Short mmCIF file of all heavy atoms in Angstrom, two decimals:
data_model
loop_
_atom_site.label_atom_id
_atom_site.label_comp_id
_atom_site.label_asym_id
_atom_site.label_seq_id
_atom_site.Cartn_x
_atom_site.Cartn_y
_atom_site.Cartn_z
N LEU A 1 -60.11 84.86 170.88
CA LEU A 1 -61.25 85.75 171.09
C LEU A 1 -60.89 87.00 171.89
O LEU A 1 -61.74 87.86 172.11
CB LEU A 1 -62.38 84.99 171.81
CG LEU A 1 -63.00 83.83 171.05
CD1 LEU A 1 -63.94 83.04 171.95
CD2 LEU A 1 -63.74 84.31 169.81
N GLY A 2 -59.64 87.08 172.35
CA GLY A 2 -59.21 88.25 173.10
C GLY A 2 -59.73 88.33 174.52
O GLY A 2 -59.82 89.41 175.10
N ARG A 3 -60.05 87.16 175.11
CA ARG A 3 -60.62 87.15 176.46
C ARG A 3 -59.74 86.41 177.46
O ARG A 3 -60.20 86.05 178.54
CB ARG A 3 -62.01 86.51 176.44
CG ARG A 3 -62.98 87.12 175.46
CD ARG A 3 -64.39 86.57 175.59
NE ARG A 3 -64.43 85.11 175.55
CZ ARG A 3 -65.56 84.39 175.48
NH1 ARG A 3 -66.73 85.01 175.43
NH2 ARG A 3 -65.52 83.07 175.46
N ASP A 4 -58.49 86.12 177.11
CA ASP A 4 -57.66 85.25 177.93
C ASP A 4 -57.29 85.87 179.27
O ASP A 4 -56.79 85.16 180.15
CB ASP A 4 -56.40 84.84 177.17
CG ASP A 4 -55.64 86.03 176.59
OD1 ASP A 4 -56.23 86.73 175.75
OD2 ASP A 4 -54.47 86.25 176.98
N GLN A 5 -57.52 87.18 179.46
CA GLN A 5 -57.30 87.77 180.78
C GLN A 5 -58.41 87.41 181.75
O GLN A 5 -58.24 87.54 182.97
CB GLN A 5 -57.18 89.29 180.66
CG GLN A 5 -55.98 89.76 179.87
CD GLN A 5 -54.68 89.22 180.41
OE1 GLN A 5 -54.37 89.40 181.59
NE2 GLN A 5 -53.90 88.56 179.57
N GLN A 6 -59.54 86.94 181.24
CA GLN A 6 -60.68 86.58 182.09
C GLN A 6 -60.96 85.09 182.10
O GLN A 6 -61.51 84.57 183.08
CB GLN A 6 -61.95 87.29 181.59
CG GLN A 6 -61.96 88.79 181.74
CD GLN A 6 -63.27 89.35 181.23
OE1 GLN A 6 -63.59 89.26 180.04
NE2 GLN A 6 -64.04 89.92 182.13
N LEU A 7 -60.64 84.41 181.02
CA LEU A 7 -61.06 83.02 180.83
C LEU A 7 -59.93 82.20 180.22
O LEU A 7 -58.91 82.75 179.79
CB LEU A 7 -62.29 82.97 179.92
CG LEU A 7 -63.58 83.58 180.46
CD1 LEU A 7 -64.53 83.94 179.32
CD2 LEU A 7 -64.26 82.61 181.44
N GLY A 8 -60.12 80.89 180.18
CA GLY A 8 -59.18 80.02 179.47
C GLY A 8 -58.24 79.24 180.35
O GLY A 8 -57.69 78.22 179.93
N THR A 9 -58.01 79.70 181.57
CA THR A 9 -57.22 78.97 182.56
C THR A 9 -57.91 79.08 183.91
O THR A 9 -58.75 79.96 184.12
CB THR A 9 -55.79 79.52 182.68
OG1 THR A 9 -55.85 80.91 183.01
CG2 THR A 9 -55.00 79.34 181.38
N ILE A 10 -57.55 78.19 184.81
CA ILE A 10 -58.12 78.20 186.17
C ILE A 10 -57.11 78.88 187.07
O ILE A 10 -56.13 78.28 187.55
CB ILE A 10 -58.44 76.76 186.63
CG1 ILE A 10 -59.45 76.11 185.67
CG2 ILE A 10 -58.98 76.76 188.07
CD1 ILE A 10 -59.73 74.65 185.95
N GLU A 11 -57.31 80.19 187.28
CA GLU A 11 -56.40 81.01 188.06
C GLU A 11 -57.20 81.99 188.92
O GLU A 11 -58.32 82.37 188.55
CB GLU A 11 -55.47 81.81 187.14
CG GLU A 11 -54.57 80.99 186.25
CD GLU A 11 -53.70 81.87 185.37
OE1 GLU A 11 -52.72 82.46 185.91
OE2 GLU A 11 -53.99 82.00 184.16
N ARG A 12 -56.61 82.40 190.01
CA ARG A 12 -57.25 83.36 190.90
C ARG A 12 -57.62 84.63 190.13
O ARG A 12 -56.83 85.18 189.36
CB ARG A 12 -56.32 83.73 192.07
CG ARG A 12 -56.87 84.86 192.94
CD ARG A 12 -55.98 85.14 194.14
NE ARG A 12 -56.36 86.39 194.80
CZ ARG A 12 -57.39 86.53 195.64
NH1 ARG A 12 -58.16 85.48 195.91
NH2 ARG A 12 -57.65 87.70 196.19
N GLY A 13 -58.86 85.10 190.35
CA GLY A 13 -59.33 86.33 189.74
C GLY A 13 -60.01 86.14 188.40
O GLY A 13 -60.66 87.06 187.91
N LYS A 14 -59.87 84.96 187.79
CA LYS A 14 -60.54 84.72 186.52
C LYS A 14 -61.96 84.20 186.76
O LYS A 14 -62.31 83.75 187.86
CB LYS A 14 -59.75 83.70 185.68
CG LYS A 14 -58.49 84.29 185.06
CD LYS A 14 -57.93 83.38 183.98
CE LYS A 14 -56.85 84.08 183.18
NZ LYS A 14 -56.34 83.24 182.07
N LEU A 15 -62.77 84.27 185.71
CA LEU A 15 -64.13 83.77 185.80
C LEU A 15 -64.12 82.24 185.94
O LEU A 15 -63.32 81.56 185.30
CB LEU A 15 -64.94 84.18 184.57
CG LEU A 15 -65.18 85.69 184.44
CD1 LEU A 15 -65.84 86.00 183.09
CD2 LEU A 15 -66.05 86.20 185.59
N ALA A 16 -65.02 81.74 186.76
CA ALA A 16 -65.04 80.31 187.08
C ALA A 16 -65.86 79.55 186.05
O ALA A 16 -66.97 79.08 186.33
CB ALA A 16 -65.59 80.10 188.49
N ASP A 17 -65.34 79.44 184.86
CA ASP A 17 -65.93 78.59 183.82
C ASP A 17 -65.03 77.37 183.69
O ASP A 17 -63.94 77.43 183.09
CB ASP A 17 -65.98 79.33 182.47
CG ASP A 17 -67.07 80.37 182.39
OD1 ASP A 17 -67.62 80.73 183.45
OD2 ASP A 17 -67.38 80.82 181.27
N PHE A 18 -65.44 76.25 184.27
CA PHE A 18 -64.64 75.03 184.18
C PHE A 18 -65.52 73.83 184.49
O PHE A 18 -66.69 73.97 184.87
CB PHE A 18 -63.41 75.08 185.11
CG PHE A 18 -63.70 75.38 186.56
CD1 PHE A 18 -64.31 74.45 187.40
CD2 PHE A 18 -63.33 76.60 187.11
CE1 PHE A 18 -64.56 74.72 188.72
CE2 PHE A 18 -63.56 76.89 188.45
CZ PHE A 18 -64.18 75.94 189.26
N PHE A 19 -64.96 72.63 184.31
CA PHE A 19 -65.75 71.43 184.54
C PHE A 19 -64.87 70.34 185.13
O PHE A 19 -63.63 70.38 185.06
CB PHE A 19 -66.45 70.95 183.27
CG PHE A 19 -65.54 70.53 182.14
CD1 PHE A 19 -65.36 69.20 181.82
CD2 PHE A 19 -64.90 71.49 181.35
CE1 PHE A 19 -64.54 68.81 180.77
CE2 PHE A 19 -64.08 71.12 180.30
CZ PHE A 19 -63.89 69.77 180.00
N LEU A 20 -65.52 69.36 185.74
CA LEU A 20 -64.86 68.27 186.45
C LEU A 20 -65.09 66.96 185.72
O LEU A 20 -66.23 66.63 185.37
CB LEU A 20 -65.42 68.17 187.88
CG LEU A 20 -64.99 66.96 188.73
CD1 LEU A 20 -63.52 67.07 189.11
CD2 LEU A 20 -65.87 66.85 189.98
N VAL A 21 -64.00 66.20 185.51
CA VAL A 21 -64.10 64.85 184.95
C VAL A 21 -63.44 63.87 185.90
O VAL A 21 -62.64 64.25 186.77
CB VAL A 21 -63.47 64.76 183.55
CG1 VAL A 21 -64.16 65.70 182.58
CG2 VAL A 21 -61.97 65.01 183.58
N LYS A 22 -63.72 62.60 185.71
CA LYS A 22 -63.20 61.58 186.61
C LYS A 22 -61.70 61.35 186.45
O LYS A 22 -60.94 61.32 187.41
CB LYS A 22 -63.92 60.25 186.37
CG LYS A 22 -65.23 60.09 187.12
CD LYS A 22 -65.73 58.66 186.94
CE LYS A 22 -66.97 58.41 187.79
NZ LYS A 22 -67.46 57.02 187.64
N GLY A 23 -61.26 61.15 185.20
CA GLY A 23 -59.90 60.69 184.96
C GLY A 23 -58.94 61.78 184.58
O GLY A 23 -59.11 62.95 184.93
N ASP A 24 -57.90 61.38 183.83
CA ASP A 24 -56.84 62.28 183.40
C ASP A 24 -56.89 62.45 181.89
O ASP A 24 -56.37 61.61 181.14
CB ASP A 24 -55.48 61.71 183.82
CG ASP A 24 -54.32 62.60 183.39
OD1 ASP A 24 -54.55 63.63 182.74
OD2 ASP A 24 -53.16 62.23 183.70
N PRO A 25 -57.51 63.51 181.40
CA PRO A 25 -57.64 63.68 179.95
C PRO A 25 -56.33 64.01 179.25
O PRO A 25 -56.28 63.95 178.02
CB PRO A 25 -58.64 64.84 179.83
CG PRO A 25 -58.46 65.62 181.09
CD PRO A 25 -58.14 64.60 182.14
N THR A 26 -55.28 64.35 179.99
CA THR A 26 -53.99 64.59 179.33
C THR A 26 -53.37 63.29 178.84
O THR A 26 -52.46 63.31 178.00
CB THR A 26 -53.00 65.30 180.27
OG1 THR A 26 -52.65 64.44 181.36
CG2 THR A 26 -53.61 66.59 180.80
N GLN A 27 -53.86 62.18 179.37
CA GLN A 27 -53.40 60.86 178.91
C GLN A 27 -54.36 60.24 177.91
O GLN A 27 -53.93 59.53 176.99
CB GLN A 27 -53.23 59.92 180.12
CG GLN A 27 -52.23 60.42 181.14
CD GLN A 27 -50.84 60.62 180.54
OE1 GLN A 27 -50.32 59.73 179.87
NE2 GLN A 27 -50.26 61.79 180.78
N ASP A 28 -55.65 60.50 178.08
CA ASP A 28 -56.66 59.92 177.21
C ASP A 28 -57.87 60.84 177.20
O ASP A 28 -58.52 61.03 178.23
CB ASP A 28 -57.06 58.52 177.72
CG ASP A 28 -58.02 57.80 176.79
OD1 ASP A 28 -58.53 58.43 175.83
OD2 ASP A 28 -58.29 56.60 177.02
N LEU A 29 -58.17 61.41 176.01
CA LEU A 29 -59.28 62.36 175.93
C LEU A 29 -60.63 61.72 176.20
O LEU A 29 -61.61 62.43 176.43
CB LEU A 29 -59.30 63.02 174.55
CG LEU A 29 -58.36 64.20 174.32
CD1 LEU A 29 -58.64 64.83 172.97
CD2 LEU A 29 -58.48 65.24 175.41
N SER A 30 -60.72 60.41 176.18
CA SER A 30 -62.01 59.79 176.47
C SER A 30 -62.46 60.10 177.90
O SER A 30 -63.65 59.93 178.24
CB SER A 30 -61.95 58.27 176.26
OG SER A 30 -61.06 57.66 177.19
N ALA A 31 -61.53 60.57 178.75
CA ALA A 31 -61.93 60.99 180.10
C ALA A 31 -62.93 62.13 180.06
O ALA A 31 -63.71 62.32 181.01
CB ALA A 31 -60.69 61.40 180.91
N LEU A 32 -62.95 62.91 178.98
CA LEU A 32 -63.91 64.02 178.86
C LEU A 32 -65.35 63.52 178.80
O LEU A 32 -66.28 64.30 179.03
CB LEU A 32 -63.62 64.83 177.61
CG LEU A 32 -62.27 65.55 177.52
CD1 LEU A 32 -62.16 66.29 176.19
CD2 LEU A 32 -62.09 66.52 178.68
N ARG A 33 -65.53 62.26 178.49
CA ARG A 33 -66.89 61.74 178.33
C ARG A 33 -67.62 61.62 179.65
O ARG A 33 -68.85 61.56 179.68
CB ARG A 33 -66.83 60.37 177.64
CG ARG A 33 -66.20 60.43 176.25
CD ARG A 33 -65.97 59.04 175.67
NE ARG A 33 -65.33 59.12 174.36
CZ ARG A 33 -64.96 58.06 173.64
NH1 ARG A 33 -65.18 56.84 174.13
NH2 ARG A 33 -64.39 58.20 172.47
N GLU A 34 -66.88 61.58 180.75
CA GLU A 34 -67.51 61.45 182.06
C GLU A 34 -67.41 62.78 182.81
O GLU A 34 -66.64 62.95 183.74
CB GLU A 34 -66.86 60.32 182.86
CG GLU A 34 -67.13 58.94 182.25
CD GLU A 34 -66.66 57.82 183.14
OE1 GLU A 34 -65.53 57.90 183.67
OE2 GLU A 34 -67.43 56.86 183.32
N THR A 35 -68.21 63.73 182.37
CA THR A 35 -68.25 65.06 182.99
C THR A 35 -69.19 65.02 184.18
O THR A 35 -70.37 64.71 184.05
CB THR A 35 -68.72 66.10 181.97
OG1 THR A 35 -67.83 66.09 180.85
CG2 THR A 35 -68.74 67.49 182.58
N ARG A 36 -68.67 65.36 185.36
CA ARG A 36 -69.43 65.20 186.60
C ARG A 36 -70.06 66.50 187.08
O ARG A 36 -71.06 66.48 187.81
CB ARG A 36 -68.52 64.63 187.69
CG ARG A 36 -67.83 63.32 187.33
CD ARG A 36 -67.09 62.75 188.51
NE ARG A 36 -68.03 62.30 189.54
CZ ARG A 36 -67.68 62.06 190.80
NH1 ARG A 36 -66.44 62.28 191.20
NH2 ARG A 36 -68.58 61.65 191.68
N MET A 37 -69.46 67.63 186.71
CA MET A 37 -69.94 68.92 187.21
C MET A 37 -69.41 70.00 186.27
O MET A 37 -68.33 69.88 185.70
CB MET A 37 -69.42 69.17 188.63
CG MET A 37 -69.79 70.52 189.22
SD MET A 37 -69.03 70.76 190.86
CE MET A 37 -67.30 70.88 190.41
N VAL A 38 -70.21 71.08 186.12
CA VAL A 38 -69.82 72.21 185.29
C VAL A 38 -70.16 73.50 186.04
O VAL A 38 -71.25 73.62 186.61
CB VAL A 38 -70.56 72.19 183.93
CG1 VAL A 38 -70.11 73.36 183.06
CG2 VAL A 38 -70.32 70.86 183.20
N LEU A 39 -69.22 74.45 186.02
CA LEU A 39 -69.48 75.79 186.56
C LEU A 39 -69.42 76.79 185.43
O LEU A 39 -68.50 76.77 184.61
CB LEU A 39 -68.45 76.17 187.62
CG LEU A 39 -68.73 75.70 189.06
CD1 LEU A 39 -68.51 74.20 189.19
CD2 LEU A 39 -67.87 76.46 190.06
N LYS A 40 -70.40 77.68 185.40
CA LYS A 40 -70.41 78.75 184.41
C LYS A 40 -71.31 79.87 184.92
O LYS A 40 -72.46 79.63 185.31
CB LYS A 40 -70.90 78.24 183.05
CG LYS A 40 -70.88 79.30 181.94
CD LYS A 40 -72.24 79.95 181.78
CE LYS A 40 -72.21 81.13 180.85
NZ LYS A 40 -73.56 81.75 180.73
N GLY A 41 -70.77 81.09 184.94
CA GLY A 41 -71.56 82.26 185.28
C GLY A 41 -72.16 82.25 186.66
O GLY A 41 -73.23 82.82 186.87
N GLY A 42 -71.49 81.62 187.63
CA GLY A 42 -71.99 81.59 188.99
C GLY A 42 -72.95 80.45 189.28
O GLY A 42 -73.42 80.31 190.42
N PHE A 43 -73.27 79.64 188.29
CA PHE A 43 -74.15 78.48 188.47
C PHE A 43 -73.32 77.20 188.47
O PHE A 43 -72.32 77.08 187.75
CB PHE A 43 -75.20 78.41 187.37
CG PHE A 43 -76.29 79.43 187.48
CD1 PHE A 43 -76.21 80.62 186.80
CD2 PHE A 43 -77.40 79.19 188.27
CE1 PHE A 43 -77.21 81.57 186.89
CE2 PHE A 43 -78.42 80.13 188.38
CZ PHE A 43 -78.31 81.33 187.69
N VAL A 44 -73.78 76.24 189.25
CA VAL A 44 -73.20 74.90 189.26
C VAL A 44 -74.22 73.95 188.63
O VAL A 44 -75.40 73.95 189.01
CB VAL A 44 -72.87 74.44 190.70
CG1 VAL A 44 -72.27 73.04 190.69
CG2 VAL A 44 -71.93 75.43 191.38
N TYR A 45 -73.76 73.17 187.67
CA TYR A 45 -74.63 72.20 186.99
C TYR A 45 -74.06 70.79 187.17
O TYR A 45 -72.84 70.60 187.14
CB TYR A 45 -74.72 72.51 185.49
CG TYR A 45 -75.30 73.85 185.16
CD1 TYR A 45 -74.48 74.97 185.00
CD2 TYR A 45 -76.67 74.02 184.98
CE1 TYR A 45 -75.00 76.21 184.69
CE2 TYR A 45 -77.21 75.26 184.68
CZ TYR A 45 -76.37 76.36 184.54
OH TYR A 45 -76.89 77.59 184.23
N PHE A 46 -74.96 69.84 187.33
CA PHE A 46 -74.57 68.44 187.42
C PHE A 46 -75.13 67.71 186.19
O PHE A 46 -76.36 67.57 186.06
CB PHE A 46 -75.08 67.83 188.72
CG PHE A 46 -74.53 68.52 189.94
CD1 PHE A 46 -75.29 69.45 190.63
CD2 PHE A 46 -73.23 68.28 190.36
CE1 PHE A 46 -74.78 70.12 191.73
CE2 PHE A 46 -72.71 68.95 191.46
CZ PHE A 46 -73.48 69.87 192.15
N PRO A 47 -74.26 67.27 185.28
CA PRO A 47 -74.74 66.68 184.03
C PRO A 47 -75.70 65.51 184.21
O PRO A 47 -76.60 65.33 183.38
CB PRO A 47 -73.44 66.25 183.35
CG PRO A 47 -72.44 67.26 183.82
CD PRO A 47 -72.80 67.49 185.26
#
């Protein structure tokens, strides 16, 4: 989408669009099912 300078990784200076899960999804994607918190556009959401 041509936005990787602002989004797509969690790095200093980028927009804080990310979410928190309990486990390690790099080992098992089912960890994505337990989303505990989401940040987007300056708001914090609790699923």
Side-chain angles (χ1 to χ4, degrees):
L1 296 171
R3 306 187 308 189
D4 52 299
Q5 295 304 305
Q6 293 181 295
L7 294 159
T9 57
I10 300 174
E11 299 180 75
R12 173 176 168 79
K14 285 194 169 183
L15 294 173
D17 284 15
F18 54 72
F19 63 105
L20 172 70
V21 300
K22 275 188 174 181
D24 179 358
T26 67
Q27 300 301 311
D28 185 351
L29 278 187
S30 65
L32 297 179
R33 300 172 182 178
E34 293 188 314
T35 302
R36 305 187 69 197
M37 177 184 68
V38 181
L39 274 73
K40 183 264 171 181
F43 287 94
V44 180
Y45 299 92
F46 300 101

